[in-house]
Amino acid sequence: MGSSYSIWQMCEDVEGYTPVPYYHTGVSCGLPNEFGDVPPEETLVPSILLSNLKVYVIDAEGDSMEGARIFDGDPLLIEKTRHFEIGNIVLAMVDGQQMLKTYYVDDLGRKWLVPANKKYNPTLLTDEMDVRFLGRVKCNLRIPSDSLNDVRRSISEYLQKTSSREKTPRIPTREEVMEALLKVGPHIKMGRHWLGPCRVLMDCGFVPKERYDLFCDMVCYVLPEHKHLPSESELRRSAVGCFSKPFATWTDEKAPVHGKSYQGYYDAGEAMLKKLP
């Protein structure tokens, strides 16, 4: 079966093999392809690898996972599960297209599918996407000990690249945001006015959309003694009308409040913009 079956070859002296479904339609390790519903054949797998797990075998396609020693044509033993850890190589269906990538969750809670080849960009999973996880690779690879560093580096390089092309704003660092919050704090006179800085950080990708809780936690961490700390429920209630949209689109006439009330929200957001690099 080729060199990619090295893990199986190590088990040749074990008695007992189990037939598992074998899909000849490949799982893409390059550009995503449509995952066909192909009736499987069966192939024998050493029972010691299965541990009563629900599994199937599928061939890899493409070169995006070569850094994880998964090459074009390699047969992969996939465990059917929806429970993953950071660093697992998973099979996912994203908007009807299947892909095999490393699963990663960054410090902001954003979920990524990351290739192991710099020719390809990481995929940020968003709420707008139709995402279904179909399983994770059980064997036919050895994840290097520094694989998570490679994943983080790949995401960082991708974000820098897209920022330089001005497709998305540069995401500020945690240190830059903390410094900006310290400078904005004295201008905040009501807790709900933190919605302006929160929206600015959502727009630039530092805070995931609708994660008001993460923003509030950070403000409380940076400014624990502030007299007007934000609360998730208050910010969420205030985020209506243009306040639920990017800060650059805010106007008095489209806001849920007007005049001086509107200006408090807007001034806080504008101050955040000015304090960020």
Side-chain angles (χ1 to χ4, degrees):
M1 295 184 177
S3 60
S4 60
Y5 273 82
S6 58
I7 294 181
W8 295 15
Q9 291 167 350
M10 287 165 29
C11 301
E12 286 181 350
D13 59 339
V14 179
E15 292 185 2
Y17 288 76
T18 301
V20 300
Y22 185 7
Y23 292 84
H24 285 288
T25 297
V27 53
S28 174
C29 292
L31 300 175
N33 294 318
E34 200 70 22
F35 186 64
D37 184 16
V38 181
E41 298 180 6
E42 288 186 336
T43 187
L44 294 177
V45 176
S47 301
I48 194 173
L49 295 177
L50 304 183
S51 302
N52 297 319
L53 301 175
K54 294 182 179 180
V55 298
Y56 58 94
V57 175
I58 196 165
D59 292 334
E61 289 184 355
D63 60 356
S64 78
M65 295 305 291
E66 287 186 353
R69 298 186 182 181
I70 296 180
F71 299 96
D72 187 46
D74 280 353
L76 307 175
L77 183 65
I78 306 293
E79 175 190 357
K80 294 181 179 179
T81 180
R82 296 180 183 275
H83 303 287
F84 311 111
E85 297 178 358
I86 292 174
N88 286 166
I89 295 181
V90 301
L91 173 60
M93 189 79 74
V94 180
D95 291 336
Q97 298 178 313
Q98 55 85 357
M99 57 177 68
L100 187 84
K101 301 288 183 284
T102 302
Y103 177 75
Y104 185 73
V105 181
D106 65 21
D107 292 340
L108 297 177
R110 296 175 297 189
K111 297 178 181 179
W112 298 80
L113 294 179
V114 185
N117 187 329
K118 291 186 178 180
K119 288 169 54 178
Y120 303 94
N121 293 324
T123 298
L124 174 61
L125 302 179
T126 66
D127 293 338
E128 292 75 24
M129 294 178 176
D130 178 18
V131 180
R132 291 189 297 124
F133 289 100
L134 307 178
R136 63 182 172 187
V137 174
K138 173 68 175 174
C139 70
N140 188 43
L141 72 161
R142 294 179 180 87
I143 300 177
S145 60
D146 64 344
S147 62
L148 287 186
N149 289 332
D150 292 338
V151 166
R152 295 187 186 100
R153 190 179 305 113
S154 179
I155 291 173
S156 177
E157 291 174 354
Y158 167 70
L159 292 175
Q160 290 177 9
K161 181 171 61 178
T162 55
S163 176
S164 65
R165 294 176 181 174
E166 298 182 349
K167 291 182 178 178
T168 58
R170 183 181 77 84
I171 298 179
T173 66
R174 182 178 179 84
E175 290 72 21
E176 290 170 341
V177 171
M178 292 173 65
E179 183 177 352
L181 289 173
L182 286 170
K183 295 177 180 178
V184 170
H187 301 281
I188 301 293
K189 304 305 180 184
M190 294 185 178
R192 57 181 176 271
H193 288 169
W194 283 107
L195 180 61
C198 179
R199 181 58 58 188
V200 169
L201 292 178
M202 286 182 179
D203 293 345
C204 71
F206 183 84
V207 174
K209 291 181 179 179
E210 306 304 317
R211 292 304 305 270
Y212 299 99
D213 56 324
L214 294 179
F215 173 79
C216 292
D217 288 347
M218 189 167 190
V219 174
C220 292
Y221 175 78
V222 175
L223 298 165
E225 304 299 326
H226 198 283
K227 293 182 179 180
H228 305 288
L229 291 172
S231 71
E232 177 187 1
S233 59
E234 188 172 34
L235 296 189
R236 197 176 292 277
R237 285 197 306 270
S238 300
V240 296
C242 72
F243 284 175
S244 66
K245 296 180 172 60
F247 181 74
T249 67
W250 284 19
T251 62
D252 189 306
E253 60 182 13
K254 295 181 179 179
V257 294
H258 308 285
K260 290 183 178 180
S261 296
Y262 165 78
Q263 205 63 38
Y265 290 92
Y266 184 85
D267 288 348
E270 188 172 30
M272 192 70 189
L273 273 179
K274 292 180 178 178
K275 301 305 180 184
L276 288 174

